[in-house]
Amino acid sequence: MPKEALQNSVASHKNNAIEQVVATKLARAVFAGFKAMFAEFLNITLSAQSRFEQRQWLDVQSAMRERLKVYERQVKNVSDAVRIIAYQELNDPRLWQQAKHIYGQMVQNHENQPIAHTFFNSTFGSIWDDKKIRTVHLFVLKAKYRAQPRPFDNLVSRISLQNGFASAVSELIHRQAFRVKFTDLTSDINTLQATLTLGAKQQCSQVYELMNLNDGYIEYANSLFFRNKACYLIGRCIAKNGDNMPFAIAILHTQSGLKLDAVMMGADQLSLLFGFARTYFMVDTDQPARYVDYLSVLMPHKQRFELFNAIGFIKHAKTEFYRYKVDTTNNSPIDDKYIIAPGTPGMVMLVFTTAGSDYVYKVIKDKFSAPKTSTKAQVMAKYDFVKQADRVGRLVDTHEFRYLAFDLNRFSDELLKQMRASIGNSMAISNKALVLKHVYVERKMTPLNLYINQCDNKQLSNVMHDYGKAIKELAGANIFPGDMLMKNFGVTRWSRVVFYDYDEICPLTDCNFRDLPSSENSFDELSSESYFDVAENDVFPSQFKVFFSADQQAFSHFCKLHQDLFSPDFWLQCQADINAGQLADVYPYKQSWRFQARVITHNSG
């Protein structure tokens, strides 16, 4: 071999050896970061029951906010380490592909392989940022990266009905271990047993029949689900033929002790508990992916990303959502085009969707319409504030994406023109893809201002009642929506009112609620200029009536129950309660489902 060729061969071998060593170190660093992230996440979660038993409600919220920071903090730590480890090879795409292959082998048989894959994706994205990222460097779309449902027998326990349904229900509750006692457990269990029986009779005749025959069994998750002031026992009643009725039992810790407060039955009622406007559960498990497999059985209409999100793995939920988005796009008709979302166009956001989609995409405009004066950074901070807040079922959750690609063929020339004019700085077109550099994804709802135009008088009364309740429950959670026009609220399929426009949202305690000063000169009040000094955080509740200026019938219904919202007294009392450390009770189920409100009429026949 010629000397030059030999030197080239040696150099090539040396380079390959270095690449192998560096790629292995990168993979090991990311894997170590993933394990550290998971351990820190779990340590915060493990304390959930203790906080519940001690009624440390403010600590519950602090722990939730702290847990939300864990993932990003570990990604940053790993990214910093990787920059040093990789050195000159940091931006070598071939090296990253090699590291991905090695990492994939490391986590091949890991219990939580899907989440581990996402952690690698996050680290890679953190380092490459706005560079062109190819999916060859990510664990995303290929079938081998998509976890298949697995057995969950080790996550659940079962109680036979052979000694009677009442006995099985009693055993179910007595198996739950708490440091504090129930106030009146016998009464609670009797009510639970009667309610489950009635529910089965109304929803699942096969389960009801086998309850009476002392056949089948009760299955329940070994881990309790903690959120806010409650914990939930999740399970199902199962007949031997496979028919089943899922349930979730709500357990509260009152000043006098524990009590069973309600039971949700059937997939639809559980879906309300796992809704997109709720904060995240804390579930003591080192097998979250397998728990999602179990929850998918209880609520088969729920998407996997919704369930990962519900138990706090919000970054992996984004991975699952992206797969869902690609799949639904590929499986939808080519004429299912993107359109501007129904409702009043926003001053800050451009919002688009498809007619058949359950989701909307929100992009911050390059320039805001008057009178909006906030900046893009301030709007992003508002959305981050919502992510950290207790959403009490009244703030829609969002997924924040960077460089999210869409099929360009799905956009009309007219819509593209509108997008270039309003969000041109946030979009790019590459071949057959439209790429949004920054976008929020939210659940689609019917805007409240459109809903009231298509409902009857009873529905109008109900939705106006819930509109006021939404504002009050947000206030109790130290959240002031800011712009409370009906166009900024949506109505869910449960006819529940949820707020979704966050550019003016803020902590309630930051506001200064005032009465409008009176003037001795009547002409002052007619002037377009303010006749008194107004600070930036001043809020005048009497002016909220303008939200109803277009619909006097809606206003009439609203005033019957929520006249107090037009006075500073209500808001000042909320602030006083918050400053005193009080947290309002908000239930993720209907009041009529609560045992104290329910009258059980048990028919043994």
Side-chain angles (χ1 to χ4, degrees), residues 582-603:
Q582 298 180 27
L583 292 177
D585 293 324
V586 178
Y587 304 97
Y589 39 86
K590 295 182 178 182
Q591 285 291 316
S592 59
W593 297 354
R594 300 187 65 198
F595 288 168
Q596 66 182 34
R598 186 189 295 268
V599 177
I600 303 297
T601 54
H602 181 56
N603 183 351

Side-chain angles (χ1 to χ4, degrees), residues 167-388:
S167 174
V169 171
S170 179
E171 184 177 350
L172 170 69
I173 302 303
H174 279 99
R175 282 189 182 185
Q176 310 311 312
F178 294 99
R179 295 184 181 94
V180 289
K181 295 182 179 180
F182 282 84
T183 303
D184 190 354
L185 187 55
T186 300
S187 175
D188 284 354
I189 289 175
N190 289 339
T191 305
L192 173 62
Q193 184 268 328
T195 307
L196 284 169
T197 302
L198 183 62
K201 183 176 183 180
Q202 295 173 342
Q203 297 187 33
C204 191
S205 59
Q206 290 289 341
V207 170
Y208 175 71
E209 180 181 340
L210 291 176
M211 282 179 179
N212 291 318
L213 293 175
N214 297 341
D215 205 349
Y217 48 88
I218 293 176
E219 175 186 271
Y220 65 94
N222 294 328
S223 297
L224 293 165
F225 287 60
F226 292 90
R227 188 174 67 192
N228 292 338
K229 293 184 176 182
C231 82
Y232 300 89
L233 174 58
I234 308 290
R236 54 181 175 161
C237 302
I238 310 179
K240 284 192 174 179
N241 68 354
D243 286 353
N244 65 92
M245 182 183 72
F247 63 76
I249 301 168
I251 306 172
L252 303 185
H253 186 185
T254 69
Q255 291 184 341
S256 58
L258 299 179
K259 72 170 183 177
L260 304 182
D261 191 62
V263 59
M264 287 134 277
M265 296 168 287
D268 281 346
Q269 291 189 9
L270 257 68
S271 178
L272 189 62
L273 179 64
F274 284 79
F276 58 85
R278 300 285 173 188
T279 194
Y280 314 110
F281 286 106
M282 289 201 175
V283 187
D284 172 11
T285 179
D286 55 4
Q287 299 176 293
R290 209 178 288 260
Y291 253 104
V292 165
D293 295 335
Y294 180 55
L295 293 172
S296 295
V297 172
L298 301 185
M299 295 170 282
H301 58 287
K302 280 279 188 186
Q303 299 297 330
R304 288 180 65 83
F305 65 85
E306 295 176 290
L307 297 172
F308 272 110
N309 205 59
I311 61 174
F313 289 89
I314 58 178
K315 294 298 181 181
H316 184 65
K318 287 173 58 176
T319 301
E320 296 281 353
F321 175 82
Y322 181 70
R323 291 169 180 156
Y324 165 85
K325 171 187 171 297
V326 171
D327 291 346
T328 52
T329 299
N330 291 339
N331 295 328
S332 64
I334 191 62
D335 59 355
D336 189 18
K337 302 281 190 180
Y338 289 109
I339 57 173
I340 294 296
T344 305
M347 298 178 182
V348 171
M349 295 280 193
L350 181 139
V351 187
F352 67 93
T353 184
T354 66
S357 175
D358 290 329
Y359 295 86
V360 298
Y361 301 93
K362 303 176 67 171
V363 187
I364 302 174
K365 291 182 176 181
D366 298 338
K367 184 178 180 181
F368 301 161
S369 305
K372 300 290 185 178
T373 59
S374 52
T375 65
K376 183 174 182 178
Q378 289 171 330
V379 172
M380 292 173 65
K382 299 289 189 183
Y383 275 75
D384 186 60
F385 165 75
V386 170
K387 204 72 178 175
Q388 309 287 330

Side-chain angles (χ1 to χ4, degrees), residues 442-508:
E442 289 182 1
R443 190 68 180 245
K444 183 193 290 183
M445 292 173 285
T446 304
L448 179 57
N449 62 317
L450 300 186
Y451 180 88
I452 64 172
N453 293 327
Q454 59 192 39
C455 62
D456 58 33
N457 192 58
K458 182 178 180 181
Q459 290 172 324
L460 181 62
S461 175
N462 289 339
V463 81
M464 285 297 102
H465 179 204
D466 204 55
Y467 177 31
K469 280 183 63 180
I471 295 170
K472 290 178 176 178
E473 288 176 3
L474 287 171
N478 195 21
I479 295 170
F480 183 62
D483 189 347
M484 292 186 291
L485 287 167
M486 283 189 276
K487 70 182 181 68
N488 297 326
F489 289 79
V491 183
T492 71
R493 68 187 183 96
W494 284 89
S495 299
R496 185 174 177 81
V497 177
V498 178
F499 187 64
Y500 55 61
D501 193 330
Y502 302 149
D503 58 276
E504 292 189 14
I505 201 168
C506 68
L508 188 82

